[in-house]
Amino acid sequence: NLCAKFAKSFCFNIDCCVIVKVIVEMSNLLDLPTDILLIIFTYLPSECLIHNVSIVCLQFREILNSEPFWKRRYNRKSGRKLNSLNEWRLGCCQSEGLQRILGGNASLSIFKGSSAILDSVHILPGKNIVAGGSRNGRVYMWDVASQKQIDFPAKSDHRGWVWCLSSHKDDPTLLYSGSFDSNVRLWDVQQQSLVYCMRKVHKAAVLCMDCSAAKSLTTGSFDKQLRLFDTRDLTAGPVLKGRPHDKGVLCLQVDGDRVISGSENSISVWDWRANRQLQLIQTNSLVHCLHYSDGLLLTGGKHLTCYQEVSNGLFDHVTGCEDLHRAGAKITGIYHNLGMAVTCSEDKTVKFHQYLQNGSLQPVHVLTHHQDTVTKLHYNNGTLAMVSADCMASVLTI
């Protein structure tokens, strides 16, 4: 049966006719030469090779633990330079996610319900639920599987624009929202209720937050400050404070003890453990959004800029990309992994990019289903959520 499946997968390729004949005639795949097995493996998804094929026998495991195999496989899909077996494996899996999008094997869902512009979006880990923050002060939630909206009591709304959302990986039933009213609210998605309101967290609007680190919440504000809270006791106030910029903190991401943040004219790397700034990078334009992953930091504003992590948690400028979106259209959201990068913009589009050998990005696919500025995006485990000034949210399941 296994031979038949392989034969069926090869029947469309004339160059593989000889291989098909060998597979069908042989009673055991283990009798095949290693070179033949390597060709067969190139037609199987990376996740299948890692999680299924590699545990079949010792021979397959040795082949699939080979660095040259994964390096060649990754380099055929991406131009980004990686240095380890684990990175090449993960990069192959993530590159194939982009290929599924290009092949039309991704489903798109549209959600309506907000009466005002949506400025923030977040996917709750493991819950298949998407949350959106609106300028009417409400937090909207949609169940992607059932296509239904989850309603919260109107009396618990913010008194300002909901500009940022975040959740804990270890407790996906809880969602934090930050607003122009300077408050942070904690919501229980399962009970559809407000758990607690942290009042006057900052002296100005709460513009960004991240609670991905264990038992902590980091917030950034227009008052130029970062603040760290212990989520086990939200009534105690901030544990630590920092001022990384001379302008408002527009975006941030927590990576261990580091906080990478962007402002109108700078990028900061702050160390919560030492409560001091590790690096300040001056920029020529506003940093509206950023995303760090696997040693690479991408920032978006008037254009996209790439920074490579060099040593001791510090970054060095690599390249800039100025033609990813329409001229003059600000990049409003960004995500990237080892296989692809995704950006959204004021030009109403969401674009998928592949890495080039020189470190820059090349657009390879575009979504145009929104009718106004795509204000923010969030990616989590094969699901991409987007919100727009057309008051709609959309979800692409890869």
Side-chain angles (χ1 to χ4, degrees):
N1 290 336
L2 186 57
C3 290
K5 289 181 180 178
F6 279 124
K8 184 178 180 181
S9 68
F10 283 113
C11 66
F12 64 90
N13 194 331
I14 298 176
D15 296 333
C16 295
C17 288
V18 176
I19 298 175
V20 173
K21 183 178 180 180
V22 172
I23 292 173
V24 172
E25 290 179 353
M26 285 191 170
S27 59
N28 193 339
L29 280 176
L30 298 180
D31 295 332
L32 292 174
T34 300
D35 291 344
I36 301 290
L37 289 174
L38 287 173
I39 295 175
I40 293 174
F41 290 165
T42 60
Y43 286 86
L44 296 177
S46 295
E47 290 187 359
C48 175
L49 293 175
I50 295 169
H51 300 299
N52 301 110
V53 178
S54 64
I55 62 175
V56 169
C57 63
L58 182 61
Q59 180 183 354
F60 287 3
R61 182 179 179 181
E62 291 177 349
I63 293 174
L64 295 176
N65 279 339
S66 165
E67 289 192 359
F69 171 80
W70 289 105
K71 185 176 181 179
R72 287 194 301 269
R73 186 181 178 97
Y74 179 76
N75 288 339
R76 285 198 299 266
K77 303 172 184 291
S78 176
R80 185 171 170 182
K81 296 180 180 179
L82 304 180
N83 302 309
S84 71
L85 176 61
N86 288 336
E87 286 184 340
W88 289 320
R89 281 178 168 177
L90 181 59
C92 288
C93 294
Q94 294 173 342
S95 295
E96 287 166 12
L98 176 59
Q99 297 305 315
R100 287 194 291 272
I101 296 173
L102 298 179
N105 297 318
S107 61
L108 181 67
S109 303
I110 306 294
F111 297 96
K112 301 179 181 180
S114 175
S115 59
I117 293 174
L118 293 165
D119 289 301
S120 54
V121 65
H122 186 79
I123 304 169
L124 277 77
K127 298 297 290 184
N128 210 27
I129 293 175
V130 173
S134 174
R135 293 192 182 185
N136 61 13
R138 300 207 68 183
V139 175
Y140 293 88
M141 294 192 192
W142 297 274
D143 188 315
V144 179
S146 65
Q147 302 283 299
K148 293 182 179 179
Q149 183 171 319
I150 302 172
D151 294 319
F152 286 83
K155 62 181 180 181
S156 58
D157 292 346
H158 283 278
R159 295 180 179 272
W161 296 359
V162 181
W163 204 254
C164 52
L165 300 165
S166 188
S167 66
H168 279 295
K169 294 180 180 179
D170 52 357
D171 193 350
T173 63
L174 298 178
L175 176 75
Y176 290 86
S177 60
S179 170
F180 272 44
D181 61 9
S182 305
N183 298 337
V184 171
R185 296 184 179 234
L186 175 62
W187 308 86
D188 189 318
V189 178
Q190 192 168 357
Q191 300 297 326
Q192 299 181 26
S193 62
L194 176 66
V195 177
Y196 185 69
C197 179
M198 302 167 61
R199 299 190 181 278
K200 302 304 176 185
V201 172
H202 287 271
K203 296 181 180 179
V206 180
L207 300 179
C208 47
M209 64 168 58
D210 189 338
C211 60
S212 58
K215 301 178 180 61
S216 66
L217 169 68
T218 298
T219 60
S221 170
F222 194 71
D223 66 6
K224 311 169 189 177
Q225 283 198 351
L226 295 174
R227 296 194 176 187
L228 176 67
F229 297 86
D230 188 334
T231 56
R232 294 169 294 185
D233 185 9
L234 296 175
T235 63
V239 178
L240 292 172
K241 299 179 182 179
R243 183 170 172 172
H245 304 279
D246 57 7
K247 302 287 185 180
V249 183
L250 303 180
C251 53
L252 66 82
Q253 182 179 341
V254 174
D255 177 58
D257 294 322
R258 297 186 304 174
V259 182
I260 306 169
S261 58
S263 183
E264 292 184 24
N265 56 5
S266 61
I267 300 167
S268 167
V269 181
W270 191 274
D271 184 359
W272 272 139
R273 185 180 292 274
N275 200 22
R276 67 180 182 89
Q277 191 168 64
L278 300 178
Q279 184 179 19
L280 183 67
I281 304 172
Q282 297 295 333
T283 62
N284 296 324
S285 60
L286 172 146
V287 180
H288 185 80
C289 55
L290 60 82
H291 188 256
Y292 167 79
S293 179
D294 302 299
L296 185 66
L297 172 66
L298 300 186
T299 66
K302 291 183 179 179
H303 52 82
L304 184 141
T305 307
C306 306
Y307 299 87
Q308 186 71 45
E309 189 171 7
V310 286
S311 63
N312 301 321
L314 305 182
F315 295 92
D316 190 20
H317 177 267
V318 178
T319 186
C321 307
E322 299 184 358
D323 301 321
L324 299 183
H325 288 270
R326 189 191 67 208
K330 181 174 64 179
I331 295 175
T332 54
I334 190 167
Y335 166 83
H336 73 95
N337 57 32
L338 295 176
M340 64 178 177
V342 190
T343 57
C344 60
S345 170
E346 291 178 336
D347 66 3
K348 311 176 186 179
T349 67
V350 176
K351 292 189 177 183
F352 296 82
H353 315 269
Q354 65 181 11
Y355 299 102
L356 300 178
Q357 293 290 345
N358 61 2
S360 62
L361 300 174
Q362 179 184 26
V364 292
H365 187 68
V366 59
L367 300 178
T368 58
H369 57 278
H370 282 290
Q371 305 303 311
D372 208 331
T373 297
V374 182
T375 53
K376 199 66 67 178
L377 59 79
H378 184 229
Y379 182 92
N380 184 27
N381 196 27
T383 301
L384 176 68
M386 304 147 277
V387 289
S388 171
D390 60 11
C391 308
M392 293 193 302
S394 58
V395 177
L396 186 72
T397 305
I398 302 172

